[in-house]
Each structure stands twice: as structure tokens, then as C-alpha cells.
Amino acid sequence: PEELEVRALTELWVELAGQKKSAKYARTTTDNPIAVEVHKTLKRLIEKLSEEIHREALRLPLYKEAVEELGLKGPILAYIISHDSMALMTLPRDKLAIRYGMVERPWRKRPLRSRLLILLAWAAVLQHHPRYRKIYDHYRQKGQKHWYSILRVAKRLLRDLRQLREDRQQTQKAGP
């Protein structure tokens, strides 16, 4: 039940984030005070919703472990965990990469979960997360482009989430 609540809240967050993006575009292209007010209101509501999602998602064991061990948090991480916790647990690494669109398929658009994972990786790099910023800098120093480096960080993030799940399963098996 907690997972379903988090799932519903994160889906609402995704929809509101899209509306906020449209409102910001309208605010910057027009001088209408209503557009400015709509943007401010949506921004405030999204912040409140993000805090509520974080509080609710802390009841999910994998999210809590990700916050404690990886140092990540937020509605994007909650979305990924609430929607794909079974896939993170059961799928092998290569199938998980295909599910998240981390392989080159130029004829297909990236799924939403892939775009959110890339956005989470981008945020981790921008916030100078110690683990993921090192990965980004390593690939940039090798001469890779920004986009490729962000994709490598996203792949590493996906592996780390899967590894958390595997570690949790092994401790449950070794327990009483």
C-alpha cells in the first residue's frame, strides 16, 4: 500500500512538473501577470508535493537505503523505486539497461523512466555528488562529450540501485 501511495503521488508530480515547464515558458515569453502567478503557484505546489513524496517514500525500504547509502533523494528517485522495484530486484543488469533505454536505439524515443533517470543523474552531477561527479569528470577528462558522460552516470546510478536491492536480499537470506 505504501508503494501505491508513493506511485500515485509521483505520477501527480510528473504531471505538475510538465505543467510547470509550460507555465515557465509562458511566463518568459509573455508579460502577462497571470502567467507569472500561475508559475509561482505551480512552483510552490511542486515543492510541497516533493516534500510529501519524500516523507511517504521513506517508508519504502529501497528508497530509505538509497537515501542513506547513496545520498540521493527526491521525487524522481521515488518514482523509479515505486514503479520499478520488482524490475530492479528480478531483471539482470543488461535487461535493466534495455528497460531504461540506456542502449542506443535511435529509432525509438526514450521512455519516461529513462528520461527521469537521466535527469536524476544530471542533478547528481550538478549538485557535486561525490561518487557521481567523479564518474562524470572521469569521462569528461577522457574526451567524452557532456551527454555521453551523463549517460554513463545514469547507468552507474541504475547499477547502484540494483546493487542495493541485491545486498538487501542477501542480508534477508542470511538473517534468522
Side-chain angles (χ1 to χ4, degrees):
E2 294 95 13
E3 200 169 276
L4 294 177
E5 288 178 28
V6 173
R7 185 179 292 189
L9 288 174
T10 55
E11 286 173 359
L12 176 63
W13 180 86
V14 167
E15 293 298 323
L16 284 178
Q19 290 178 358
K20 185 187 113 186
K21 188 175 180 180
S22 299
K24 183 175 182 178
Y25 178 75
R27 182 198 63 155
T28 57
T29 56
T30 64
D31 290 332
N32 194 331
I34 299 294
V36 173
E37 186 179 335
V38 166
H39 178 258
K40 285 181 182 178
T41 304
L42 280 173
K43 189 174 178 180
R44 184 175 42 82
L45 289 174
I46 286 175
E47 287 297 320
K48 286 172 90 174
L49 186 60
S50 297
E51 291 170 7
E52 180 64 24
I53 288 170
H54 177 66
R55 269 196 303 275
E56 292 289 324
L58 279 173
R59 291 194 270 159
L60 301 176
L62 186 58
Y63 182 84
K64 190 173 183 177
E65 287 177 18
V67 168
E68 291 169 356
E69 294 187 25
L70 300 179
L72 300 170
K73 66 177 185 176
I76 295 175
L77 182 63
Y79 182 93
I80 290 170
I81 289 174
S82 66
H83 281 73
D84 278 349
S85 61
M86 287 303 292
L88 289 169
M89 182 174 63
T90 57
L91 290 178
R93 189 168 66 184
D94 56 343
K95 300 267 187 194
L96 206 54
I98 291 170
R99 179 178 176 86
Y100 275 84
M102 294 288 118
V103 294
E104 286 194 36
R105 296 188 303 182
W107 62 90
R108 291 191 66 176
K109 184 179 173 184
R110 288 191 187 277
L112 176 65
R113 66 175 74 89
S114 172
R115 291 181 299 209
L116 290 175
L117 181 67
I118 291 168
L119 189 60
L120 182 62
W122 182 66
V125 167
L126 278 181
Q127 297 296 322
H128 294 282
H129 188 282
R131 176 185 288 173
Y132 302 114
R133 184 64 192 209
K134 276 197 293 191
I135 295 168
Y136 175 80
D137 289 338
H138 171 74
Y139 282 101
R140 291 293 287 167
Q141 287 172 359
K142 282 176 55 177
Q144 299 295 333
K145 303 273 188 211
H146 169 75
W147 178 247
Y148 180 77
S149 301
I150 292 290
L151 284 179
R152 296 299 293 190
V153 170
K155 284 181 184 179
R156 184 66 212 179
L157 238 166
L158 194 58
R159 277 192 217 135
D160 288 346
L161 286 173
R162 185 174 178 277
Q163 189 65 39
L164 279 177
R165 187 60 138 187
E166 285 179 359
D167 292 345
R168 194 165 138 250
Q169 282 181 338
Q170 288 177 355
T171 57
Q172 285 177 353
K173 286 180 183 176

